[in-house]
């Protein structure tokens, strides 16, 4: 049972480039989410999904897109990377909703030059 | 706006010392409360949670937390810390208004051997 798997673990981009952070879970969880973690600010919710085909914005959605075509996968797309998006990104999942205990991936450390 | 405050950003203790990490939130309705821990180089994992019932909840590794509704607090405690408790601790609150998690900024705990 792998849990929540994120790829890549590290990535360096140039300003303006686009990329997709991958997230997959094998626990048949309905709820998945993306957070960014910045020093001194805790985790902030970017986007979340309560099931396949359903996504919604969190606290800091600008500059990011998501889709949920299957229960297992929830990729996060950076449309045009900016230095302000330098952060550590975490994907998480839970059985039904955000107020249930969440399982986290190992994170992706992203640097935008 | 709803927020979660963790009073100390850094705490340094010696082994066997007692620990209390503060967490306060600003929301007057019903909440689910969580403490997560992030050990160095690892992903976030659930330490304990409170949904309802006994306000004193016990978690893994000897940790406990007390929900005091009148003080909007959910402080984390451990009677005797170990070197292996060195980690970053996050308090998170899920208000019944939106069922998403709102995170504190985290407390980095360093235990001196």
């Amino acid at each position: 049972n792998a849990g929540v798997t994120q790829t890549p673990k590290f990535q360096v981009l140039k300003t303006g480039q686009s990329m997709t952070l991958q997230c997959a879970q094998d626990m048949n969880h309905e709820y998945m989410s993306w957070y960014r973690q910045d020093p001194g600010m805790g985790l902030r919710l970017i986007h979340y999904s309560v099931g396949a085909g359903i996504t919604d914005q969190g606290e800091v959605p600008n500059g990011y897109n998501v889709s949920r075509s299957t229960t297992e996968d929830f990729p996060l797309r950076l449309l045009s990377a900016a230095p302000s998006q330098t952060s550590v990104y975490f994907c998480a999942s839970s059985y039904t909703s955000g107020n249930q205990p969440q399982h986290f991936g190992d994170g992706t450390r992203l640097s935008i030059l | 706006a709803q927020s979660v405050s963790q009073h100390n950003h850094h705490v340094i203790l010696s082994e066997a010392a007692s620990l209390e990490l503060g967490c306060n939130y600003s929301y007057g309705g019903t909440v689910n409360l969580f403490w997560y821990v992030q050990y160095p180089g690892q992903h976030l994992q659930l330490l304990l949670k409170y949904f309802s019932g006994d306000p004193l909840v016990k978690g893994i590794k000897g940790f406990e937390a007390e929900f005091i509704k009148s003080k909007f607090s959910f402080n984390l405690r451990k009677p005797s810390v170990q070197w292996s408790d060195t980690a970053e601790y996050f308090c998170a609150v899920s208000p019944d208004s939106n069922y998403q998690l709102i995170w504190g900024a985290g407390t980095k705990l360093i235990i001196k051997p």
Side-chain angles (χ1 to χ4, degrees):
Chain A
N1 191 341
V4 179
T5 302
Q6 284 185 241
T7 56
K9 293 193 185 307
F10 302 94
Q11 183 71 49
V12 179
L13 293 177
K14 294 181 180 178
T15 297
Q17 287 184 314
S18 63
M19 81 159 294
T20 299
L21 308 185
Q22 301 292 344
C23 176
Q25 53 89 10
D26 61 0
M27 297 172 282
N28 203 31
H29 285 172
E30 291 296 328
Y31 180 90
M32 296 185 74
S33 56
W34 277 102
Y35 295 93
R36 58 178 290 172
Q37 183 183 26
D38 299 296
M41 300 186 71
L43 278 73
R44 291 182 291 169
L45 183 65
I46 304 171
H47 285 284
Y48 66 96
S49 168
V50 296
I54 305 169
T55 64
D56 206 346
Q57 297 180 349
E59 180 185 356
V60 288
N62 292 342
Y64 307 94
N65 271 358
V66 291
S67 60
R68 185 94 180 270
S69 56
T70 66
T71 299
E72 294 78 20
D73 300 300
F74 191 44
L76 177 72
R77 297 182 189 82
L78 277 71
L79 309 173
S80 177
S84 61
Q85 294 176 305
T86 294
S87 188
V88 181
Y89 292 84
F90 287 100
C91 179
S93 72
S94 65
Y95 280 111
T96 55
S97 64
N99 66 346
Q100 298 295 314
Q102 298 194 27
H103 298 255
F104 283 83
D106 289 337
T108 296
R109 189 172 294 273
L110 182 63
S111 294
I112 314 296
L113 305 178
Chain B
Q2 297 155 355
S3 64
V4 177
S5 297
Q6 291 185 239
H7 310 303
N8 305 101
H9 289 162
H10 294 88
V11 173
I12 301 174
L13 295 172
S14 298
E15 276 193 315
S18 63
L19 169 71
E20 181 161 3
L21 301 183
C23 174
N24 286 88
Y25 62 93
S26 62
Y27 181 70
T30 301
V31 292
N32 287 353
L33 300 157
F34 304 84
W35 276 96
Y36 283 84
V37 60
Q38 187 174 28
Y39 296 103
Q42 297 187 24
H43 58 259
L44 284 142
Q45 52 188 287
L46 182 68
L47 202 54
L48 49 79
K49 64 185 186 293
Y50 173 81
F51 287 175
S52 64
D54 188 344
L56 183 62
V57 293
K58 296 192 184 298
I60 60 172
K61 304 188 181 186
F63 286 90
E64 65 179 30
E66 185 176 14
F67 171 47
I68 303 179
K69 188 174 182 179
S70 62
K71 295 185 177 180
F72 301 93
S73 71
F74 190 54
N75 292 355
L76 181 71
R77 300 196 292 249
K78 186 171 184 178
S80 176
V81 295
Q82 301 171 314
W83 176 79
S84 57
D85 293 326
T86 294
E88 190 161 15
Y89 293 81
F90 293 91
C91 180
V93 175
S94 176
D96 64 354
S97 60
N98 63 10
Y99 299 110
Q100 301 303 325
L101 283 179
I102 303 168
W103 294 79
T107 298
K108 290 186 177 176
L109 175 65
I110 297 173
I111 307 300
K112 298 183 294 183

